[in-house]
Amino acid sequence: MFVFDSTTALVTCILVGMLIARRKPSRRGATPRDPDRTRGRLLQAAFEEMHRSGFRSADLDAILATAGVTKGALYYHFDNKEALGYAVVDEVLTSSMREKWVRPLQNAKNPIDMLVRIVQSISLKPEDLQRGCPLNNLSQEMSPLDAGFRKRTAKVFKDWHDAITMALRRGQKRGVVRSGVNASETATFLMAAIEGYVSLAKNSQEARMLQSGKRSVSRHLESLRPARVRARAADRD
């Protein structure tokens, strides 16, 4: 799943606020004393509120209170609520995706091993089960209503899909992934399976549901290894 726990989101957002911030001319109120840090706090607070309540129900006053900033500071960085929501997708969700999936898969010698490791790391914390996947939640809520959100979430899904696809193709060249595997279709299947289990776990509020999903997805990943590799592993066992 494209799942983060709260620690991942916080670290990502701090980095986003400090390294990716774009300064804008002030329209209301005084310029914040530390614009980059203020922007990072706003993005983190907005992410948390959107993950908890959805975008449409997200309360700007709650975001301001959590971030500890004024309304003037909000409008110094973002034109409106939609612009803030777009920035959460473009920066927080995109950066978290890259940290969770893209970079590890780019550097993996064996993509099957890395994919199993990532799947097994999916959080079982009660708060994460309760809220589900922030990317999937936002896509389901806003894609039918707002083209800006639909295009942005589609791009994050594409980054995820492409990271898995490219990793599997590299694995095929190295002989650690079966040559007959359709990498693109397999990537789509894995994403759908992971998000499906996360949604079921969110609905049931049962860690067992997600644990079952993690085992099933891991078994499917093991089936992508060449027969000779599986045979060697069985001999070792």
Side-chain angles (χ1 to χ4, degrees):
M1 162 185 94
F2 176 37
V3 177
F4 349 73
D5 58 30
S6 54
T7 301
T8 301
L10 177 59
V11 171
T12 298
C13 194
I14 290 172
L15 292 173
V16 165
M18 297 183 68
L19 301 178
I20 311 179
R22 298 186 296 271
R23 302 190 181 209
K24 297 182 179 180
S26 179
R27 292 179 297 279
R28 301 184 196 175
T31 301
R33 293 181 180 180
D34 189 342
D36 293 356
R37 188 172 295 277
T38 298
R39 191 172 190 277
R41 290 203 303 267
L42 281 165
L43 285 171
Q44 173 62 19
F47 166 77
E48 291 175 354
E49 177 70 7
M50 289 165 61
H51 195 188
R52 178 171 51 250
S53 304
F55 175 75
R56 286 174 294 175
S57 297
D59 187 333
L60 283 180
D61 289 335
I63 292 171
L64 294 174
T66 300
V69 303
T70 65
K71 191 168 289 186
L74 170 66
Y75 288 110
Y76 171 78
H77 291 286
F78 305 102
D79 290 334
N80 48 43
K81 183 180 177 182
E82 284 71 24
L84 176 60
Y86 291 165
V88 168
V89 181
D90 292 340
E91 300 178 31
V92 179
L93 296 185
T94 296
S95 295
S96 294
M97 169 63 69
R98 288 173 181 163
E99 290 300 318
K100 179 78 173 179
W101 292 88
V102 178
R103 289 194 180 98
L105 287 171
Q106 284 176 339
N107 299 324
K109 292 182 179 180
N110 188 317
I112 304 298
D113 291 344
M114 181 56 68
L115 284 165
V116 170
R117 192 173 305 139
I118 295 172
V119 168
Q120 290 303 317
S121 73
I122 293 173
S123 174
L124 294 171
K125 293 179 181 178
E127 60 268 29
D128 295 322
L129 289 174
Q130 180 181 17
R131 297 180 184 182
C133 172
L135 174 62
N136 197 42
N137 291 350
L138 188 60
S139 177
Q140 293 293 319
E141 177 191 6
M142 296 305 298
S143 289
L145 306 175
D146 186 287
F149 277 110
R150 182 182 60 79
K151 292 176 181 178
R152 284 170 169 82
T153 54
K155 183 179 183 303
V156 184
F157 277 122
K158 184 177 186 301
D159 289 346
W160 185 9
H161 174 273
D162 290 351
I164 298 175
T165 300
M166 293 299 102
L168 291 174
R169 287 175 179 167
R170 288 192 296 270
Q172 288 174 320
K173 291 179 180 178
R174 293 171 182 160
V176 295
V177 176
R178 285 192 290 110
S179 60
V181 169
N182 184 311
S184 179
E185 289 182 1
T186 299
T188 300
F189 171 79
L190 290 171
M191 292 167 60
I194 291 166
E195 290 288 20
Y197 275 113
V198 171
S199 294
L200 289 171
K202 176 183 176 181
N203 178 262
S204 67
Q205 296 293 290
E206 288 279 353
R208 289 178 299 175
M209 176 64 71
L210 188 50
Q211 288 171 328
S212 173
K214 289 163 70 169
R215 288 194 298 269
S216 295
V217 173
S218 295
R219 282 195 298 269
H220 180 75
L221 286 167
E222 292 294 341
S223 76
L224 303 180
R225 300 184 194 272
R228 56 182 173 75
V229 175
R230 298 200 304 273
R232 284 202 300 268
D235 289 341
R236 287 195 300 269
D237 294 341

